[in-house]
Amino acid sequence: MDETDRWRHMASAPKDGSRILVTIRPSEQGPAEVDLAYWSNGDQFGGEGWRASDSSPGHIIEYAEPELKCWMPMPSANLNRFSMPSPWEGTDGPQFDGSGI
């Protein structure tokens, strides 16, 4: 398995503004989803936290820490094989990072 093809704990997500894929926890609004997010240190649009803007052009979405289950790096630029990964459906236990194998 490629290093970029696995979900990781949110605690290890980069907070340098780089874009990553995140699993959004299921809620009353719908099932788990994957979104493209980044950490913002805060600006005129809001305080520091996880944001997404690519899924809804012109609209910035802010995610509370508990809404995000896990993350993975963006896949390589090889667009011929890229497809959005499925959301992490497992528990929050030690199975992230391959440690449950």
Side-chain angles (χ1 to χ4, degrees):
M1 178 180 281
D2 189 314
E3 180 72 14
T4 60
D5 291 340
R6 61 185 173 90
W7 291 108
R8 304 159 187 217
H9 288 281
M10 282 304 297
S12 67
K15 292 186 174 180
D16 60 1
S18 57
R19 296 194 185 304
I20 59 173
L21 296 176
V22 294
T23 292
I24 304 161
R25 292 179 185 278
S27 68
E28 301 83 36
Q29 286 78 33
E33 296 180 355
V34 173
D35 201 357
L36 181 66
Y38 62 94
W39 179 262
S40 173
N41 289 322
D43 54 22
Q44 71 270 20
F45 300 110
E48 72 176 15
W50 293 104
R51 294 184 183 171
S53 59
D54 300 316
S55 59
S56 298
H59 182 73
I60 295 174
I61 299 167
E62 292 187 9
Y63 290 113
E65 202 72 42
E67 289 180 277
L68 303 178
K69 191 167 192 172
C70 52
W71 76 281
M72 81 168 51
M74 289 293 296
S76 67
N78 183 351
L79 298 178
N80 291 330
R81 75 172 190 89
F82 175 72
S83 62
M84 191 66 86
S86 298
W88 174 257
E89 296 286 343
T91 63
D92 291 347
Q95 294 177 355
F96 288 119
D97 300 328
S99 59
I101 296 174

Coordinates of all heavy atoms in Angstrom, one line a residue:
M1 N 0.9 -1.2 0.0 CA 0.0 0.0 0.0 C 0.9 1.2 0.0 O 1.8 1.3 0.8 CB -0.9 0.0 1.2 CG -1.8 1.2 1.3 SD -2.9 1.3 2.8 CE -4.1 0.2 2.2
D2 N 0.6 2.2 -0.8 CA 1.3 3.4 -0.9 C 1.2 4.2 0.4 O 0.1 4.2 1.0 CB 0.8 4.2 -2.1 CG 1.6 5.5 -2.4 OD1 1.9 6.2 -1.5 OD2 1.9 5.7 -3.6
E3 N 2.2 4.9 0.8 CA 2.2 5.7 2.0 C 1.0 6.8 2.0 O 0.5 7.1 3.0 CB 3.5 6.5 2.1 CG 3.6 7.3 3.4 CD 3.8 6.6 4.7 OE1 4.0 5.3 4.6 OE2 3.6 7.2 5.7
T4 N 0.6 7.3 0.8 CA -0.4 8.3 0.7 C -1.8 7.7 0.7 O -2.8 8.4 0.8 CB -0.2 9.2 -0.5 OG1 -0.3 8.3 -1.7 CG2 1.1 9.9 -0.5
D5 N -1.9 6.3 0.6 CA -3.2 5.7 0.5 C -3.8 5.2 1.7 O -4.5 4.2 1.7 CB -3.1 4.5 -0.6 CG -2.9 5.0 -2.0 OD1 -3.1 6.2 -2.2 OD2 -2.4 4.2 -2.8
R6 N -3.5 5.8 2.9 CA -4.1 5.3 4.1 C -4.5 6.5 5.0 O -3.9 7.5 5.0 CB -3.1 4.4 4.9 CG -1.8 5.1 5.3 CD -0.8 4.0 5.9 NE 0.4 4.7 6.1 CZ 0.8 5.3 7.3 NH1 -0.1 5.4 8.2 NH2 2.0 5.8 7.4
W7 N -5.5 6.2 5.8 CA -6.1 7.2 6.7 C -5.2 7.3 7.9 O -4.7 6.3 8.4 CB -7.5 6.9 7.0 CG -8.5 7.0 5.8 CD1 -9.0 6.0 5.1 CD2 -8.9 8.2 5.2 NE1 -9.8 6.5 4.1 CE2 -9.7 7.9 4.2 CE3 -8.6 9.6 5.5 CZ2 -10.3 8.9 3.4 CZ3 -9.3 10.5 4.7 CH2 -10.1 10.2 3.7
R8 N -5.1 8.5 8.5 CA -4.3 8.7 9.7 C -5.1 9.5 10.7 O -6.1 10.2 10.4 CB -3.1 9.5 9.3 CG -2.3 8.9 8.2 CD -1.4 9.9 7.5 NE -0.8 9.3 6.4 CZ 0.4 9.5 6.0 NH1 1.1 10.4 6.6 NH2 0.9 8.9 4.9
H9 N -4.7 9.5 12.0 CA -5.3 10.2 13.0 C -5.3 11.7 12.8 O -4.3 12.2 12.3 CB -4.7 10.0 14.4 CG -4.9 8.6 14.9 ND1 -6.1 8.3 15.6 CD2 -4.2 7.5 14.9 CE1 -6.0 7.0 15.9 NE2 -4.9 6.5 15.6
M10 N -6.4 12.4 13.1 CA -6.4 13.9 12.9 C -5.3 14.6 13.7 O -4.8 15.6 13.3 CB -7.8 14.5 13.2 CG -8.8 14.3 12.1 SD -8.4 14.9 10.5 CE -8.2 16.6 10.8
A11 N -4.9 14.0 14.8 CA -3.9 14.6 15.6 C -2.6 14.8 14.9 O -1.8 15.7 15.2 CB -3.7 13.8 16.9
S12 N -2.3 14.0 13.9 CA -1.1 14.1 13.1 C -1.2 14.9 11.8 O -0.3 15.0 11.1 CB -0.6 12.7 12.8 OG -1.5 12.0 11.8
A13 N -2.4 15.5 11.6 CA -2.6 16.3 10.4 C -1.8 17.5 10.3 O -1.6 18.2 11.4 CB -4.1 16.6 10.2
P14 N -1.2 17.9 9.2 CA -0.4 19.1 9.1 C -1.2 20.4 9.3 O -2.3 20.5 8.7 CB 0.2 19.0 7.7 CG -0.8 18.2 6.9 CD -1.4 17.2 7.9
K15 N -0.7 21.3 10.0 CA -1.4 22.6 10.3 C -0.6 23.7 9.6 O -0.4 24.8 10.2 CB -1.6 22.8 11.8 CG -2.6 21.8 12.3 CD -2.9 22.1 13.8 CE -4.0 21.1 14.2 NZ -4.4 21.4 15.6
D16 N -0.1 23.4 8.4 CA 0.7 24.4 7.7 C 0.0 25.0 6.5 O 0.6 25.7 5.7 CB 2.0 23.8 7.2 CG 1.8 22.6 6.3 OD1 0.7 22.3 6.0 OD2 2.8 22.0 5.9
G17 N -1.3 24.8 6.4 CA -2.1 25.3 5.3 C -2.2 24.4 4.1 O -2.9 24.7 3.1
S18 N -1.4 23.3 4.1 CA -1.5 22.4 2.9 C -2.8 21.7 2.9 O -3.4 21.4 3.9 CB -0.3 21.4 3.0 OG -0.3 20.7 4.2
R19 N -3.2 21.4 1.7 CA -4.5 20.7 1.5 C -4.4 19.2 1.7 O -3.4 18.6 1.3 CB -5.1 21.0 0.1 CG -5.4 22.5 0.0 CD -6.2 22.8 -1.2 NE -6.4 24.2 -1.6 CZ -6.9 25.1 -0.8 NH1 -7.3 24.9 0.4 NH2 -7.1 26.3 -1.3
I20 N -5.4 18.7 2.4 CA -5.4 17.2 2.7 C -6.8 16.7 2.5 O -7.8 17.5 2.4 CB -5.0 16.9 4.2 CG1 -5.9 17.7 5.2 CG2 -3.5 17.3 4.4 CD1 -5.7 17.3 6.7
L21 N -7.0 15.4 2.4 CA -8.3 14.8 2.4 C -8.7 14.4 3.8 O -7.9 14.0 4.6 CB -8.3 13.5 1.5 CG -7.9 13.8 0.0 CD1 -7.8 12.4 -0.7 CD2 -9.0 14.6 -0.6
V22 N -9.9 14.7 4.2 CA -10.4 14.3 5.5 C -11.7 13.5 5.4 O -12.5 13.7 4.4 CB -10.7 15.6 6.3 CG1 -9.4 16.4 6.6 CG2 -11.7 16.5 5.7
T23 N -11.9 12.7 6.4 CA -13.2 12.0 6.5 C -14.1 12.8 7.5 O -13.6 13.0 8.6 CB -13.1 10.5 7.0 OG1 -12.4 9.8 6.0 CG2 -14.4 9.9 7.3
I24 N -15.2 13.2 7.0 CA -16.2 13.9 7.9 C -17.1 12.9 8.5 O -17.6 12.0 7.8 CB -17.0 14.9 7.1 CG1 -16.1 15.9 6.3 CG2 -18.0 15.6 8.0 CD1 -16.7 16.6 5.2
R25 N -17.2 12.9 9.8 CA -18.0 11.9 10.5 C -19.5 11.9 10.0 O -20.0 13.0 9.7 CB -18.0 12.2 12.0 CG -16.7 12.0 12.7 CD -16.7 12.3 14.1 NE -15.4 12.2 14.7 CZ -14.8 11.1 15.1 NH1 -15.5 9.9 15.0 NH2 -13.6 11.1 15.6
P26 N -20.2 10.8 10.1 CA -21.6 10.8 9.7 C -22.4 11.6 10.8 O -21.9 11.7 12.0 CB -22.0 9.3 9.8 CG -20.9 8.6 10.6 CD -19.7 9.5 10.4
S27 N -23.5 12.2 10.4 CA -24.3 13.0 11.3 C -25.7 12.9 10.9 O -26.1 12.2 9.9 CB -23.8 14.4 11.3 OG -24.1 15.0 10.1
E28 N -26.6 13.7 11.5 CA -28.0 13.8 11.2 C -28.2 14.3 9.7 O -29.2 14.0 9.1 CB -28.8 14.7 12.1 CG -28.7 14.3 13.6 CD -27.5 14.8 14.3 OE1 -27.0 15.9 13.9 OE2 -27.0 14.1 15.1
Q29 N -27.1 15.0 9.2 CA -27.2 15.6 7.9 C -26.8 14.6 6.8 O -27.1 14.9 5.6 CB -26.3 16.8 7.8 CG -26.9 18.1 8.5 CD -26.6 18.0 10.0 OE1 -25.6 17.5 10.5 NE2 -27.6 18.6 10.8
G30 N -26.3 13.5 7.2 CA -25.9 12.5 6.2 C -24.8 11.6 6.6 O -24.3 11.7 7.7
P31 N -24.4 10.7 5.6 CA -23.4 9.7 5.9 C -22.0 10.3 5.9 O -21.8 11.5 5.5 CB -23.5 8.7 4.8 CG -24.1 9.5 3.7 CD -25.0 10.5 4.3
A32 N -21.0 9.6 6.3 CA -19.6 10.0 6.2 C -19.3 10.4 4.8 O -19.8 9.8 3.8 CB -18.7 8.9 6.7
E33 N -18.4 11.5 4.7 CA -18.0 11.9 3.4 C -16.5 12.3 3.4 O -15.9 12.4 4.5 CB -18.7 13.2 3.0 CG -20.2 13.1 2.8 CD -20.9 14.5 2.5 OE1 -20.2 15.5 2.5 OE2 -22.0 14.5 2.2
V34 N -15.9 12.4 2.3 CA -14.5 12.9 2.1 C -14.6 14.3 1.6 O -15.3 14.6 0.7 CB -13.7 11.9 1.2 CG1 -12.3 12.5 1.0 CG2 -13.7 10.5 1.8
D35 N -13.7 15.1 2.1 CA -13.6 16.5 1.6 C -12.2 16.9 1.6 O -11.3 16.3 2.2 CB -14.4 17.5 2.5 CG -14.8 18.8 1.8 OD1 -14.4 19.0 0.7 OD2 -15.5 19.6 2.5
L36 N -11.9 18.0 0.9 CA -10.5 18.5 0.7 C -10.5 19.7 1.7 O -11.3 20.6 1.6 CB -10.3 19.0 -0.7 CG -9.0 19.7 -1.0 CD1 -7.9 18.6 -0.9 CD2 -9.1 20.2 -2.4
A37 N -9.6 19.6 2.7 CA -9.6 20.7 3.8 C -8.1 21.2 4.0 O -7.2 20.6 3.5 CB -10.1 20.1 5.1
Y38 N -8.0 22.2 4.8 CA -6.7 22.8 5.1 C -6.9 23.5 6.5 O -8.0 23.9 6.9 CB -6.2 23.8 4.1 CG -7.1 25.0 3.9 CD1 -6.9 26.2 4.6 CD2 -8.2 24.9 3.0 CE1 -7.8 27.3 4.4 CE2 -9.1 26.0 2.9 CZ -8.9 27.2 3.6 OH -9.7 28.2 3.4
W39 N -5.8 23.7 7.2 CA -5.8 24.4 8.5 C -5.6 25.8 8.2 O -4.7 26.2 7.5 CB -4.6 23.8 9.4 CG -4.6 24.5 10.7 CD1 -3.8 25.6 11.0 CD2 -5.4 24.3 11.8 NE1 -4.0 26.0 12.3 CE2 -5.1 25.2 12.8 CE3 -6.5 23.4 12.1 CZ2 -5.7 25.3 14.1 CZ3 -7.1 23.4 13.3 CH2 -6.7 24.3 14.3
S40 N -6.4 26.7 8.8 CA -6.3 28.1 8.7 C -5.9 28.7 10.1 O -6.5 28.3 11.1 CB -7.6 28.7 8.2 OG -7.5 30.1 8.3
N41 N -4.9 29.6 10.1 CA -4.5 30.2 11.3 C -5.4 31.3 11.7 O -5.1 32.0 12.7 CB -3.0 30.7 11.2 CG -2.0 29.5 11.2 OD1 -2.2 28.5 11.9 ND2 -1.0 29.6 10.3
G42 N -6.4 31.6 10.9 CA -7.3 32.7 11.2 C -7.1 33.9 10.4 O -6.0 34.2 10.1
D43 N -8.2 34.5 9.9 CA -8.1 35.7 9.1 C -9.4 36.4 9.2 O -10.2 36.2 10.1 CB -7.7 35.3 7.7 CG -8.7 34.3 7.0 OD1 -9.8 34.2 7.5 OD2 -8.3 33.6 6.1
Q44 N -9.7 37.3 8.2 CA -11.0 38.0 8.2 C -12.2 37.2 8.1 O -13.3 37.6 8.4 CB -10.9 39.1 7.1 CG -11.1 38.6 5.7 CD -9.7 38.3 5.0 OE1 -8.7 38.1 5.7 NE2 -9.7 38.3 3.7
F45 N -12.0 35.9 7.7 CA -13.2 35.0 7.5 C -13.5 34.2 8.7 O -14.5 33.5 8.8 CB -12.9 34.1 6.3 CG -12.7 34.8 5.0 CD1 -11.5 34.8 4.4 CD2 -13.8 35.5 4.4 CE1 -11.3 35.5 3.2 CE2 -13.6 36.2 3.2 CZ -12.4 36.2 2.6
G46 N -12.6 34.2 9.7 CA -12.9 33.4 10.9 C -11.6 33.1 11.7 O -10.5 33.5 11.3
G47 N -11.8 32.4 12.8 CA -10.6 32.0 13.6 C -9.9 30.8 13.1 O -10.2 30.3 12.0
E48 N -8.9 30.4 13.8 CA -8.1 29.2 13.4 C -9.0 28.0 13.4 O -9.9 27.8 14.2 CB -6.8 29.1 14.2 CG -7.0 28.6 15.6 CD -5.7 28.3 16.2 OE1 -4.6 28.8 15.8 OE2 -5.7 27.6 17.3
G49 N -8.7 27.1 12.5 CA -9.4 25.8 12.5 C -9.4 25.2 11.1 O -8.7 25.7 10.2
W50 N -10.0 24.1 10.9 CA -10.1 23.3 9.7 C -11.1 24.0 8.7 O -12.3 24.2 9.2 CB -10.4 21.9 9.9 CG -9.3 21.2 10.6 CD1 -9.3 20.8 11.9 CD2 -8.0 20.8 10.0 NE1 -8.0 20.2 12.2 CE2 -7.3 20.2 11.1 CE3 -7.5 20.9 8.8 CZ2 -6.0 19.8 10.9 CZ3 -6.2 20.5 8.6 CH2 -5.4 19.9 9.6
R51 N -10.8 24.2 7.5 CA -11.7 24.8 6.5 C -11.6 24.0 5.2 O -10.7 23.3 4.9 CB -11.2 26.2 6.2 CG -11.4 27.2 7.3 CD -11.0 28.5 6.9 NE -11.1 29.5 8.0 CZ -10.7 30.7 7.8 NH1 -10.2 31.2 6.7 NH2 -10.7 31.6 8.9
A52 N -12.7 24.2 4.5 CA -12.8 23.6 3.1 C -13.5 24.7 2.3 O -14.4 25.3 2.7 CB -13.6 22.3 3.1
S53 N -13.0 24.9 1.1 CA -13.6 25.8 0.2 C -13.7 25.3 -1.2 O -14.4 25.8 -2.1 CB -12.8 27.1 0.1 OG -11.5 26.9 -0.3
D54 N -13.1 24.2 -1.5 CA -13.1 23.6 -2.9 C -14.3 22.9 -3.3 O -14.7 22.8 -4.4 CB -11.9 22.7 -3.1 CG -10.6 23.4 -2.8 OD1 -10.4 24.6 -3.3 OD2 -9.7 22.9 -2.1
S55 N -15.1 22.4 -2.3 CA -16.3 21.6 -2.6 C -17.5 22.5 -2.9 O -18.4 22.1 -3.5 CB -16.6 20.6 -1.5 OG -16.8 21.3 -0.3
S56 N -17.4 23.7 -2.4 CA -18.5 24.7 -2.6 C -17.9 26.0 -3.0 O -17.6 26.8 -2.2 CB -19.3 24.9 -1.4 OG -20.0 23.7 -1.0
P57 N -17.7 26.2 -4.3 CA -17.0 27.5 -4.8 C -17.7 28.7 -4.2 O -18.9 28.8 -4.2 CB -17.1 27.4 -6.3 CG -17.3 26.0 -6.6 CD -18.0 25.4 -5.4
G58 N -16.9 29.6 -3.7 CA -17.4 30.9 -3.1 C -17.9 30.8 -1.7 O -18.4 31.7 -1.1
H59 N -17.8 29.6 -1.1 CA -18.3 29.4 0.2 C -17.3 28.6 1.1 O -16.9 27.5 0.7 CB -19.6 28.5 0.2 CG -20.3 28.3 1.5 ND1 -20.9 29.3 2.2 CD2 -20.3 27.2 2.3 CE1 -21.4 28.8 3.3 NE2 -21.0 27.5 3.4
I60 N -16.9 29.2 2.2 CA -15.9 28.6 3.0 C -16.7 27.8 4.1 O -17.5 28.3 4.8 CB -15.0 29.6 3.7 CG1 -14.2 30.3 2.6 CG2 -14.1 29.0 4.8 CD1 -13.3 31.5 3.1
I61 N -16.3 26.6 4.3 CA -16.9 25.7 5.3 C -15.9 25.5 6.4 O -14.7 25.3 6.1 CB -17.2 24.3 4.7 CG1 -18.2 24.5 3.6 CG2 -17.7 23.4 5.8 CD1 -18.4 23.2 2.7
E62 N -16.3 25.7 7.6 CA -15.4 25.5 8.8 C -15.9 24.2 9.5 O -17.1 24.0 9.7 CB -15.5 26.7 9.8 CG -14.9 27.9 9.2 CD -14.8 29.1 10.2 OE1 -15.1 28.8 11.4 OE2 -14.5 30.2 9.8
Y63 N -14.9 23.4 9.8 CA -15.2 22.1 10.5 C -14.7 22.2 11.9 O -13.6 22.6 12.2 CB -14.5 20.9 9.8 CG -15.1 20.6 8.4 CD1 -14.3 20.8 7.3 CD2 -16.3 20.1 8.3 CE1 -14.9 20.4 6.0 CE2 -16.9 19.7 7.1 CZ -16.1 19.9 6.0 OH -16.7 19.6 4.8
A64 N -15.5 21.8 12.8 CA -15.1 21.7 14.2 C -14.3 20.4 14.3 O -14.5 19.4 13.6 CB -16.3 21.6 15.1
E65 N -13.3 20.4 15.2 CA -12.4 19.3 15.4 C -13.2 18.0 15.5 O -12.8 17.0 14.9 CB -11.6 19.6 16.6 CG -10.3 18.8 16.7 CD -9.2 19.2 15.7 OE1 -9.0 20.4 15.5 OE2 -8.5 18.3 15.2
P66 N -14.2 17.9 16.3 CA -15.0 16.6 16.4 C -15.6 16.1 15.2 O -16.0 14.9 15.1 CB -16.0 16.8 17.5 CG -15.5 18.0 18.3 CD -14.7 18.8 17.3
E67 N -15.9 17.0 14.2 CA -16.5 16.6 12.9 C -15.6 15.8 12.0 O -16.1 15.0 11.2 CB -17.0 17.8 12.2 CG -18.1 18.6 12.8 CD -18.5 19.8 11.9 OE1 -17.8 20.8 12.1 OE2 -19.4 19.6 11.1
L68 N -14.3 15.9 12.2 CA -13.3 15.2 11.4 C -12.8 14.0 12.0 O -12.3 14.0 13.1 CB -12.2 16.2 11.0 CG -12.7 17.5 10.3 CD1 -11.5 18.4 10.0 CD2 -13.5 17.2 9.1
K69 N -12.9 12.9 11.3 CA -12.5 11.6 11.9 C -11.0 11.3 11.6 O -10.3 10.8 12.5 CB -13.4 10.5 11.3 CG -13.2 9.2 12.0 CD -14.4 8.3 11.5 CE -14.5 7.1 12.4 NZ -15.6 6.3 12.2
C70 N -10.5 11.5 10.4 CA -9.2 11.1 10.0 C -8.8 11.9 8.8 O -9.6 12.5 8.1 CB -9.0 9.6 9.9 SG -10.2 8.9 8.8
W71 N -7.5 11.7 8.4 CA -7.0 12.5 7.2 C -6.0 11.6 6.4 O -5.5 10.6 6.9 CB -6.3 13.8 7.6 CG -4.9 13.5 8.2 CD1 -4.6 13.1 9.5 CD2 -3.7 13.7 7.5 NE1 -3.3 13.0 9.6 CE2 -2.7 13.4 8.5 CE3 -3.3 14.1 6.2 CZ2 -1.3 13.4 8.1 CZ3 -2.0 14.1 5.9 CH2 -1.0 13.8 6.9
M72 N -5.8 12.0 5.2 CA -4.7 11.4 4.4 C -4.1 12.5 3.5 O -4.8 13.4 3.1 CB -5.2 10.2 3.6 CG -5.9 10.4 2.3 SD -6.2 9.0 1.2 CE -6.9 7.7 2.2
P73 N -2.9 12.3 3.1 CA -2.3 13.3 2.1 C -3.0 13.3 0.8 O -3.6 12.3 0.4 CB -0.8 12.8 2.0 CG -0.6 11.9 3.2 CD -1.9 11.3 3.5
M74 N -2.8 14.3 0.1 CA -3.4 14.4 -1.3 C -2.7 13.3 -2.1 O -1.4 13.2 -2.0 CB -3.2 15.8 -1.9 CG -4.1 16.8 -1.3 SD -5.8 16.6 -1.7 CE -5.8 16.8 -3.4
P75 N -3.3 12.7 -3.0 CA -2.7 11.7 -3.9 C -1.8 12.4 -4.9 O -1.8 13.6 -5.1 CB -3.9 11.0 -4.6 CG -5.0 11.9 -4.4 CD -4.8 12.7 -3.2
S76 N -0.9 11.6 -5.5 CA 0.0 12.2 -6.5 C -0.8 12.8 -7.6 O -2.0 12.6 -7.8 CB 0.9 11.1 -7.0 OG 0.2 10.1 -7.8
A77 N -0.1 13.6 -8.5 CA -0.7 14.3 -9.5 C -1.1 13.4 -10.7 O -1.5 13.9 -11.7 CB 0.2 15.4 -10.0
N78 N -0.9 12.1 -10.6 CA -1.3 11.2 -11.7 C -2.8 11.2 -11.8 O -3.5 10.4 -11.2 CB -0.7 9.9 -11.5 CG -1.0 8.9 -12.7 OD1 -1.8 9.2 -13.6 ND2 -0.4 7.8 -12.6
L79 N -3.4 12.1 -12.6 CA -4.9 12.2 -12.7 C -5.5 11.0 -13.4 O -6.7 10.8 -13.2 CB -5.2 13.5 -13.4 CG -4.8 14.8 -12.7 CD1 -5.2 16.0 -13.5 CD2 -5.4 14.9 -11.3
N80 N -4.8 10.2 -14.1 CA -5.4 9.1 -14.8 C -5.8 8.0 -13.8 O -6.7 7.2 -14.1 CB -4.4 8.4 -15.8 CG -4.1 9.4 -16.9 OD1 -5.0 10.2 -17.3 ND2 -2.9 9.3 -17.5
R81 N -5.2 7.9 -12.6 CA -5.6 6.9 -11.7 C -6.3 7.4 -10.4 O -6.7 6.7 -9.6 CB -4.4 6.0 -11.3 CG -3.5 6.7 -10.3 CD -2.4 5.6 -9.9 NE -1.6 6.2 -8.8 CZ -1.9 6.0 -7.5 NH1 -3.0 5.4 -7.1 NH2 -1.2 6.5 -6.5
F82 N -6.4 8.7 -10.3 CA -7.0 9.3 -9.1 C -8.5 9.2 -9.1 O -9.2 9.4 -10.1 CB -6.7 10.8 -9.0 CG -7.3 11.5 -7.9 CD1 -6.9 11.2 -6.6 CD2 -8.4 12.3 -8.0 CE1 -7.5 11.8 -5.5 CE2 -9.1 12.9 -7.0 CZ -8.6 12.6 -5.7
S83 N -9.0 8.7 -8.0 CA -10.4 8.7 -7.6 C -10.5 9.0 -6.2 O -9.6 8.7 -5.4 CB -11.1 7.4 -8.0 OG -10.5 6.4 -7.2
M84 N -11.5 9.7 -5.8 CA -11.7 10.1 -4.4 C -11.8 8.8 -3.5 O -12.6 8.0 -3.9 CB -12.9 11.0 -4.2 CG -13.1 11.6 -2.9 SD -11.8 12.8 -2.5 CE -12.5 14.3 -3.2
P85 N -11.0 8.7 -2.4 CA -11.2 7.5 -1.6 C -12.5 7.5 -0.9 O -13.2 8.5 -0.7 CB -10.0 7.7 -0.6 CG -9.8 9.2 -0.6 CD -10.1 9.7 -1.9
S86 N -12.9 6.3 -0.4 CA -14.1 6.2 0.4 C -13.8 6.7 1.8 O -12.7 6.6 2.3 CB -14.5 4.7 0.5 OG -14.8 4.2 -0.8
P87 N -14.8 7.2 2.5 CA -14.6 7.7 3.8 C -14.2 6.5 4.7 O -14.6 5.4 4.5 CB -16.0 8.3 4.3 CG -16.8 8.3 3.1 CD -16.2 7.5 2.0
W88 N -13.5 6.8 5.8 CA -13.1 5.8 6.8 C -14.4 5.4 7.5 O -15.1 6.2 8.1 CB -12.1 6.3 7.7 CG -11.8 5.4 8.9 CD1 -12.2 5.5 10.1 CD2 -11.0 4.2 8.8 NE1 -11.8 4.5 10.9 CE2 -11.0 3.7 10.1 CE3 -10.3 3.6 7.8 CZ2 -10.3 2.5 10.4 CZ3 -9.6 2.4 8.1 CH2 -9.6 1.9 9.4
E89 N -14.7 4.1 7.5 CA -16.0 3.6 8.1 C -15.7 2.9 9.4 O -16.6 2.5 10.1 CB -16.7 2.7 7.1 CG -17.2 3.4 5.8 CD -18.4 4.3 6.0 OE1 -19.1 4.2 7.1 OE2 -18.6 5.1 5.1
G90 N -14.5 2.7 9.7 CA -14.1 1.9 10.9 C -14.3 2.7 12.2 O -14.7 3.9 12.2
T91 N -13.9 2.1 13.3 CA -14.0 2.8 14.6 C -12.8 3.7 14.8 O -11.8 3.6 14.0 CB -14.0 1.7 15.7 OG1 -12.8 1.0 15.7 CG2 -15.2 0.8 15.6
D92 N -12.7 4.4 15.8 CA -11.6 5.3 16.1 C -10.5 4.7 16.8 O -9.6 5.3 17.3 CB -12.1 6.5 16.9 CG -13.0 7.4 16.2 OD1 -13.1 7.3 14.9 OD2 -13.7 8.3 16.8
G93 N -10.5 3.3 16.9 CA -9.5 2.6 17.6 C -8.1 2.6 16.9 O -7.9 3.4 16.0
P94 N -7.3 1.6 17.2 CA -5.9 1.6 16.8 C -5.8 1.1 15.3 O -4.7 0.8 14.9 CB -5.3 0.6 17.8 CG -6.4 -0.3 18.1 CD -7.6 0.6 18.2
Q95 N -6.8 1.1 14.6 CA -6.7 0.6 13.2 C -6.2 1.6 12.2 O -5.9 1.2 11.1 CB -8.0 0.0 12.8 CG -8.4 -1.3 13.6 CD -9.7 -1.8 13.2 OE1 -10.5 -1.3 12.4 NE2 -10.1 -2.9 13.8
F96 N -6.2 2.9 12.5 CA -5.6 3.8 11.7 C -4.1 3.5 11.5 O -3.5 2.9 12.3 CB -5.7 5.2 12.2 CG -7.1 5.8 12.2 CD1 -7.7 6.1 13.4 CD2 -7.7 6.0 11.1 CE1 -8.9 6.7 13.4 CE2 -9.0 6.6 11.1 CZ -9.6 6.9 12.3
D97 N -3.5 4.0 10.4 CA -2.0 3.8 10.2 C -1.6 2.4 10.0 O -0.5 2.0 10.2 CB -1.2 4.5 11.3 CG -1.5 5.9 11.4 OD1 -1.8 6.6 10.4 OD2 -1.4 6.5 12.5
G98 N -2.6 1.4 9.8 CA -2.3 0.1 9.6 C -1.9 -0.7 10.8 O -1.6 -1.9 10.8
S99 N -2.1 -0.1 12.0 CA -1.7 -0.8 13.2 C -2.7 -1.9 13.7 O -2.4 -2.6 14.6 CB -1.5 0.2 14.4 OG -2.7 0.9 14.6
G100 N -3.9 -2.0 13.0 CA -4.9 -3.0 13.4 C -4.7 -4.3 12.6 O -5.5 -5.2 12.7
I101 N -3.7 -4.3 11.7 CA -3.5 -5.5 10.9 C -2.8 -6.6 11.7 O -1.9 -6.3 12.4 CB -2.7 -5.1 9.6 CG1 -3.5 -4.2 8.8 CG2 -2.3 -6.4 8.8 CD1 -2.8 -3.6 7.6

